[in-house]
Amino acid sequence: MPGGFWKPTGSPDTKILDENSNTMVERRSLDFYEGKGKGGNRTDWKMHEYYPTTNNVSSSNTKGMRV
């Protein structure tokens, strides 16, 4: 099985808002490339990465969260 890498496709494209319209979570789309570096070929594989925004992360609301 050949190796490859995930490459982000642009800026975060989706934002999940709270009840006050503040951004809580952003989503970034990634494409999988087979091969190495600039010689990689894009495949049909896609992945979405979700991550909290820094202004909504505090010790009070991360209790119980695990990585």
Side-chain angles (χ1 to χ4, degrees):
M1 181 169 167
F5 59 96
W6 290 99
K7 182 177 177 182
T9 56
S11 61
D13 57 0
T14 301
K15 297 177 188 317
I16 299 172
L17 307 176
D18 65 8
E19 63 275 358
N20 298 321
S21 297
N22 296 318
T23 302
M24 292 182 58
V25 177
E26 291 185 339
R27 181 182 83 177
R28 180 180 297 268
S29 299
L30 297 103
D31 291 336
F32 187 76
Y33 285 75
E34 290 182 329
K36 295 182 179 180
K38 294 183 181 182
N41 296 317
R42 190 173 79 175
T43 67
D44 290 334
W45 289 17
K46 305 264 185 221
M47 176 171 55
H48 297 289
E49 176 183 58
Y50 293 85
Y51 53 95
T53 57
T54 56
N55 57 345
N56 287 306
V57 176
S58 70
S59 60
S60 63
N61 64 3
T62 56
K63 186 174 183 180
M65 292 180 68
R66 293 175 24 177
V67 176

